PDB file of all heavy atoms in Angstrom:
ATOM      1  N   ASP F 201      15.563  55.635  -8.093  1.00 92.00           N
ATOM      2  CA  ASP F 201      16.979  55.928  -7.862  1.00 92.00           C
ATOM      3  C   ASP F 201      17.813  55.621  -9.113  1.00 92.00           C
ATOM      4  O   ASP F 201      18.875  54.998  -9.045  1.00 92.00           O
ATOM      5  CB  ASP F 201      17.507  55.133  -6.671  1.00 92.00           C
ATOM      6  CG  ASP F 201      18.867  55.680  -6.188  1.00 92.00           C
ATOM      7  OD1 ASP F 201      19.156  56.878  -6.444  1.00 92.00           O
ATOM      8  OD2 ASP F 201      19.636  54.910  -5.590  1.00 92.00           O
ATOM      9  N   ASN F 202      17.287  56.067 -10.261  1.00 92.00           N
ATOM     10  CA  ASN F 202      17.942  55.800 -11.553  1.00 92.00           C
ATOM     11  C   ASN F 202      18.568  57.092 -12.055  1.00 92.00           C
ATOM     12  O   ASN F 202      17.892  57.959 -12.600  1.00 92.00           O
ATOM     13  CB  ASN F 202      16.919  55.263 -12.560  1.00 92.00           C
ATOM     14  CG  ASN F 202      17.577  54.743 -13.817  1.00 92.00           C
ATOM     15  OD1 ASN F 202      18.369  55.446 -14.444  1.00 92.00           O
ATOM     16  ND2 ASN F 202      17.236  53.524 -14.205  1.00 92.00           N
ATOM     17  N   THR F 203      19.890  57.246 -11.872  1.00 93.00           N
ATOM     18  CA  THR F 203      20.593  58.473 -12.272  1.00 93.00           C
ATOM     19  C   THR F 203      20.585  58.670 -13.781  1.00 93.00           C
ATOM     20  O   THR F 203      20.517  59.798 -14.275  1.00 93.00           O
ATOM     21  CB  THR F 203      22.046  58.438 -11.769  1.00 93.00           C
ATOM     22  OG1 THR F 203      22.035  58.231 -10.358  1.00 93.00           O
ATOM     23  CG2 THR F 203      22.769  59.742 -12.078  1.00 93.00           C
ATOM     24  N   ASP F 204      20.662  57.567 -14.532  1.00 92.00           N
ATOM     25  CA  ASP F 204      20.681  57.648 -15.995  1.00 92.00           C
ATOM     26  C   ASP F 204      19.434  58.379 -16.511  1.00 92.00           C
ATOM     27  O   ASP F 204      19.517  59.391 -17.216  1.00 92.00           O
ATOM     28  CB  ASP F 204      20.754  56.233 -16.575  1.00 92.00           C
ATOM     29  CG  ASP F 204      20.817  56.224 -18.086  1.00 92.00           C
ATOM     30  OD1 ASP F 204      21.048  57.296 -18.687  1.00 92.00           O
ATOM     31  OD2 ASP F 204      20.620  55.157 -18.678  1.00 92.00           O
ATOM     32  N   TYR F 205      18.240  57.879 -16.147  1.00 93.00           N
ATOM     33  CA  TYR F 205      17.002  58.492 -16.633  1.00 93.00           C
ATOM     34  C   TYR F 205      16.736  59.843 -15.970  1.00 93.00           C
ATOM     35  O   TYR F 205      16.153  60.738 -16.591  1.00 93.00           O
ATOM     36  CB  TYR F 205      15.823  57.558 -16.403  1.00 93.00           C
ATOM     37  CG  TYR F 205      15.667  56.555 -17.502  1.00 93.00           C
ATOM     38  CD1 TYR F 205      16.246  55.293 -17.410  1.00 93.00           C
ATOM     39  CD2 TYR F 205      14.956  56.864 -18.660  1.00 93.00           C
ATOM     40  CE1 TYR F 205      16.121  54.360 -18.419  1.00 93.00           C
ATOM     41  CE2 TYR F 205      14.834  55.944 -19.685  1.00 93.00           C
ATOM     42  CZ  TYR F 205      15.410  54.695 -19.567  1.00 93.00           C
ATOM     43  OH  TYR F 205      15.278  53.785 -20.582  1.00 93.00           O
ATOM     44  N   LEU F 206      17.177  60.020 -14.719  1.00 93.00           N
ATOM     45  CA  LEU F 206      16.975  61.305 -14.058  1.00 93.00           C
ATOM     46  C   LEU F 206      17.772  62.398 -14.772  1.00 93.00           C
ATOM     47  O   LEU F 206      17.263  63.501 -15.008  1.00 93.00           O
ATOM     48  CB  LEU F 206      17.399  61.215 -12.588  1.00 93.00           C
ATOM     49  CG  LEU F 206      17.279  62.518 -11.785  1.00 93.00           C
ATOM     50  CD1 LEU F 206      15.846  63.036 -11.803  1.00 93.00           C
ATOM     51  CD2 LEU F 206      17.756  62.313 -10.353  1.00 93.00           C
ATOM     52  N   SER F 207      19.027  62.092 -15.144  1.00 92.00           N
ATOM     53  CA  SER F 207      19.856  63.090 -15.828  1.00 92.00           C
ATOM     54  C   SER F 207      19.256  63.445 -17.191  1.00 92.00           C
ATOM     55  O   SER F 207      19.203  64.620 -17.573  1.00 92.00           O
ATOM     56  CB  SER F 207      21.285  62.573 -15.999  1.00 92.00           C
ATOM     57  OG  SER F 207      21.317  61.341 -16.698  1.00 92.00           O
ATOM     58  N   VAL F 208      18.781  62.433 -17.920  1.00 93.00           N
ATOM     59  CA  VAL F 208      18.167  62.691 -19.227  1.00 93.00           C
ATOM     60  C   VAL F 208      16.878  63.487 -19.067  1.00 93.00           C
ATOM     61  O   VAL F 208      16.587  64.395 -19.857  1.00 93.00           O
ATOM     62  CB  VAL F 208      17.907  61.362 -19.968  1.00 93.00           C
ATOM     63  CG1 VAL F 208      17.124  61.617 -21.260  1.00 93.00           C
ATOM     64  CG2 VAL F 208      19.214  60.666 -20.286  1.00 93.00           C
ATOM     65  N   SER F 209      16.087  63.181 -18.040  1.00 94.00           N
ATOM     66  CA  SER F 209      14.816  63.888 -17.816  1.00 94.00           C
ATOM     67  C   SER F 209      15.058  65.355 -17.486  1.00 94.00           C
ATOM     68  O   SER F 209      14.381  66.250 -18.011  1.00 94.00           O
ATOM     69  CB  SER F 209      14.051  63.216 -16.677  1.00 94.00           C
ATOM     70  OG  SER F 209      13.817  61.854 -16.966  1.00 94.00           O
ATOM     71  N   LEU F 210      16.035  65.637 -16.591  1.00 93.00           N
ATOM     72  CA  LEU F 210      16.349  67.034 -16.267  1.00 93.00           C
ATOM     73  C   LEU F 210      16.858  67.780 -17.488  1.00 93.00           C
ATOM     74  O   LEU F 210      16.534  68.950 -17.704  1.00 93.00           O
ATOM     75  CB  LEU F 210      17.395  67.072 -15.144  1.00 93.00           C
ATOM     76  CG  LEU F 210      16.937  66.587 -13.769  1.00 93.00           C
ATOM     77  CD1 LEU F 210      18.118  66.522 -12.810  1.00 93.00           C
ATOM     78  CD2 LEU F 210      15.848  67.514 -13.204  1.00 93.00           C
ATOM     79  N   ALA F 211      17.665  67.094 -18.299  1.00 91.00           N
ATOM     80  CA  ALA F 211      18.182  67.722 -19.518  1.00 91.00           C
ATOM     81  C   ALA F 211      17.054  68.017 -20.485  1.00 91.00           C
ATOM     82  O   ALA F 211      17.019  69.090 -21.108  1.00 91.00           O
ATOM     83  CB  ALA F 211      19.224  66.812 -20.174  1.00 91.00           C
ATOM     84  N   MET F 212      16.106  67.073 -20.646  1.00 92.00           N
ATOM     85  CA  MET F 212      14.974  67.283 -21.548  1.00 92.00           C
ATOM     86  C   MET F 212      14.112  68.452 -21.077  1.00 92.00           C
ATOM     87  O   MET F 212      13.634  69.258 -21.886  1.00 92.00           O
ATOM     88  CB  MET F 212      14.133  66.005 -21.622  1.00 92.00           C
ATOM     89  CG  MET F 212      12.904  66.108 -22.518  1.00 92.00           C
ATOM     90  SD  MET F 212      13.298  66.433 -24.257  1.00 92.00           S
ATOM     91  CE  MET F 212      14.027  64.865 -24.712  1.00 92.00           C
ATOM     92  N   LYS F 213      13.943  68.586 -19.777  1.00 92.00           N
ATOM     93  CA  LYS F 213      13.163  69.705 -19.236  1.00 92.00           C
ATOM     94  C   LYS F 213      13.827  71.033 -19.578  1.00 92.00           C
ATOM     95  O   LYS F 213      13.171  71.972 -20.047  1.00 92.00           O
ATOM     96  CB  LYS F 213      13.034  69.542 -17.721  1.00 92.00           C
ATOM     97  CG  LYS F 213      12.219  70.632 -17.041  1.00 92.00           C
ATOM     98  CD  LYS F 213      12.108  70.359 -15.548  1.00 92.00           C
ATOM     99  CE  LYS F 213      11.290  71.442 -14.845  1.00 92.00           C
ATOM    100  NZ  LYS F 213      11.174  71.165 -13.391  1.00 92.00           N
ATOM    101  N   ALA F 214      15.140  71.128 -19.371  1.00 91.00           N
ATOM    102  CA  ALA F 214      15.865  72.355 -19.699  1.00 91.00           C
ATOM    103  C   ALA F 214      15.806  72.640 -21.194  1.00 91.00           C
ATOM    104  O   ALA F 214      15.644  73.785 -21.623  1.00 91.00           O
ATOM    105  CB  ALA F 214      17.322  72.236 -19.233  1.00 91.00           C
ATOM    106  N   TYR F 215      15.945  71.591 -22.004  1.00 92.00           N
ATOM    107  CA  TYR F 215      15.920  71.762 -23.464  1.00 92.00           C
ATOM    108  C   TYR F 215      14.564  72.291 -23.937  1.00 92.00           C
ATOM    109  O   TYR F 215      14.490  73.170 -24.811  1.00 92.00           O
ATOM    110  CB  TYR F 215      16.221  70.431 -24.149  1.00 92.00           C
ATOM    111  CG  TYR F 215      16.030  70.460 -25.639  1.00 92.00           C
ATOM    112  CD1 TYR F 215      16.922  71.142 -26.456  1.00 92.00           C
ATOM    113  CD2 TYR F 215      14.953  69.815 -26.250  1.00 92.00           C
ATOM    114  CE1 TYR F 215      16.757  71.184 -27.835  1.00 92.00           C
ATOM    115  CE2 TYR F 215      14.783  69.846 -27.614  1.00 92.00           C
ATOM    116  CZ  TYR F 215      15.685  70.532 -28.402  1.00 92.00           C
ATOM    117  OH  TYR F 215      15.509  70.576 -29.752  1.00 92.00           O
ATOM    118  N   ILE F 216      13.461  71.787 -23.369  1.00 92.00           N
ATOM    119  CA  ILE F 216      12.127  72.263 -23.760  1.00 92.00           C
ATOM    120  C   ILE F 216      11.975  73.748 -23.426  1.00 92.00           C
ATOM    121  O   ILE F 216      11.440  74.532 -24.222  1.00 92.00           O
ATOM    122  CB  ILE F 216      11.035  71.422 -23.082  1.00 92.00           C
ATOM    123  CG1 ILE F 216      11.068  69.989 -23.616  1.00 92.00           C
ATOM    124  CG2 ILE F 216       9.653  72.036 -23.317  1.00 92.00           C
ATOM    125  CD1 ILE F 216      10.146  69.035 -22.877  1.00 92.00           C
ATOM    126  N   TYR F 217      12.471  74.168 -22.241  1.00 92.00           N
ATOM    127  CA  TYR F 217      12.399  75.588 -21.899  1.00 92.00           C
ATOM    128  C   TYR F 217      13.250  76.426 -22.850  1.00 92.00           C
ATOM    129  O   TYR F 217      12.905  77.570 -23.177  1.00 92.00           O
ATOM    130  CB  TYR F 217      12.856  75.799 -20.453  1.00 92.00           C
ATOM    131  CG  TYR F 217      11.802  75.462 -19.426  1.00 92.00           C
ATOM    132  CD1 TYR F 217      12.082  74.618 -18.347  1.00 92.00           C
ATOM    133  CD2 TYR F 217      10.510  75.990 -19.530  1.00 92.00           C
ATOM    134  CE1 TYR F 217      11.110  74.309 -17.407  1.00 92.00           C
ATOM    135  CE2 TYR F 217       9.532  75.679 -18.594  1.00 92.00           C
ATOM    136  CZ  TYR F 217       9.837  74.850 -17.541  1.00 92.00           C
ATOM    137  OH  TYR F 217       8.872  74.551 -16.621  1.00 92.00           O
ATOM    138  N   PHE F 218      14.365  75.874 -23.315  1.00 90.00           N
ATOM    139  CA  PHE F 218      15.189  76.577 -24.307  1.00 90.00           C
ATOM    140  C   PHE F 218      14.416  76.767 -25.608  1.00 90.00           C
ATOM    141  O   PHE F 218      14.404  77.857 -26.198  1.00 90.00           O
ATOM    142  CB  PHE F 218      16.474  75.782 -24.552  1.00 90.00           C
ATOM    143  CG  PHE F 218      17.254  76.240 -25.747  1.00 90.00           C
ATOM    144  CD1 PHE F 218      17.722  77.547 -25.836  1.00 90.00           C
ATOM    145  CD2 PHE F 218      17.538  75.376 -26.786  1.00 90.00           C
ATOM    146  CE1 PHE F 218      18.449  77.981 -26.933  1.00 90.00           C
ATOM    147  CE2 PHE F 218      18.252  75.788 -27.886  1.00 90.00           C
ATOM    148  CZ  PHE F 218      18.712  77.097 -27.969  1.00 90.00           C
ATOM    149  N   ILE F 219      13.733  75.705 -26.073  1.00 89.00           N
ATOM    150  CA  ILE F 219      12.928  75.796 -27.299  1.00 89.00           C
ATOM    151  C   ILE F 219      11.791  76.799 -27.115  1.00 89.00           C
ATOM    152  O   ILE F 219      11.424  77.529 -28.036  1.00 89.00           O
ATOM    153  CB  ILE F 219      12.376  74.409 -27.679  1.00 89.00           C
ATOM    154  CG1 ILE F 219      13.519  73.469 -28.056  1.00 89.00           C
ATOM    155  CG2 ILE F 219      11.391  74.508 -28.833  1.00 89.00           C
ATOM    156  CD1 ILE F 219      14.353  73.929 -29.221  1.00 89.00           C
ATOM    157  N   MET F 220      11.236  76.869 -25.894  1.00 90.00           N
ATOM    158  CA  MET F 220      10.155  77.823 -25.621  1.00 90.00           C
ATOM    159  C   MET F 220      10.683  79.250 -25.445  1.00 90.00           C
ATOM    160  O   MET F 220       9.916  80.213 -25.481  1.00 90.00           O
ATOM    161  CB  MET F 220       9.403  77.394 -24.358  1.00 90.00           C
ATOM    162  CG  MET F 220       8.668  76.061 -24.486  1.00 90.00           C
ATOM    163  SD  MET F 220       7.987  75.475 -22.908  1.00 90.00           S
ATOM    164  CE  MET F 220       6.697  76.693 -22.638  1.00 90.00           C
ATOM    165  N   GLY F 221      12.008  79.400 -25.222  1.00 89.00           N
ATOM    166  CA  GLY F 221      12.605  80.716 -25.041  1.00 89.00           C
ATOM    167  C   GLY F 221      12.402  81.296 -23.648  1.00 89.00           C
ATOM    168  O   GLY F 221      12.480  82.512 -23.465  1.00 89.00           O
ATOM    169  N   LYS F 222      12.188  80.427 -22.640  1.00 91.00           N
ATOM    170  CA  LYS F 222      11.953  80.884 -21.265  1.00 91.00           C
ATOM    171  C   LYS F 222      13.249  80.768 -20.471  1.00 91.00           C
ATOM    172  O   LYS F 222      13.632  79.661 -20.045  1.00 91.00           O
ATOM    173  CB  LYS F 222      10.838  80.079 -20.621  1.00 91.00           C
ATOM    174  CG  LYS F 222       9.485  80.313 -21.291  1.00 91.00           C
ATOM    175  CD  LYS F 222       8.363  79.686 -20.498  1.00 91.00           C
ATOM    176  CE  LYS F 222       6.999  80.028 -21.103  1.00 91.00           C
ATOM    177  NZ  LYS F 222       5.880  79.504 -20.289  1.00 91.00           N
ATOM    178  N   GLN F 223      13.913  81.900 -20.247  1.00 91.00           N
ATOM    179  CA  GLN F 223      15.246  81.894 -19.659  1.00 91.00           C
ATOM    180  C   GLN F 223      15.230  81.506 -18.183  1.00 91.00           C
ATOM    181  O   GLN F 223      16.045  80.701 -17.732  1.00 91.00           O
ATOM    182  CB  GLN F 223      15.900  83.270 -19.829  1.00 91.00           C
ATOM    183  CG  GLN F 223      17.317  83.343 -19.276  1.00 91.00           C
ATOM    184  CD  GLN F 223      17.992  84.654 -19.575  1.00 91.00           C
ATOM    185  OE1 GLN F 223      17.376  85.555 -20.136  1.00 91.00           O
ATOM    186  NE2 GLN F 223      19.250  84.788 -19.213  1.00 91.00           N
ATOM    187  N   GLN F 224      14.317  82.083 -17.398  1.00 93.00           N
ATOM    188  CA  GLN F 224      14.315  81.833 -15.950  1.00 93.00           C
ATOM    189  C   GLN F 224      14.059  80.340 -15.666  1.00 93.00           C
ATOM    190  O   GLN F 224      14.766  79.721 -14.864  1.00 93.00           O
ATOM    191  CB  GLN F 224      13.252  82.687 -15.269  1.00 93.00           C
ATOM    192  CG  GLN F 224      13.249  82.540 -13.745  1.00 93.00           C
ATOM    193  CD  GLN F 224      12.242  83.483 -13.085  1.00 93.00           C
ATOM    194  OE1 GLN F 224      11.637  84.325 -13.755  1.00 93.00           O
ATOM    195  NE2 GLN F 224      12.042  83.331 -11.790  1.00 93.00           N
TER     196      GLN F 224
END
Side-chain angles (χ1 to χ4, degrees):
D201 194 24
N202 190 307
T203 304
D204 182 13
Y205 275 93
L206 178 58
S207 57
V208 174
S209 302
L210 292 173
M212 179 62 70
K213 181 178 180 179
Y215 172 72
I216 293 172
Y217 281 129
F218 168 59
I219 294 300
M220 295 172 69
K222 294 189 175 184
Q223 182 174 4
Q224 183 176 354

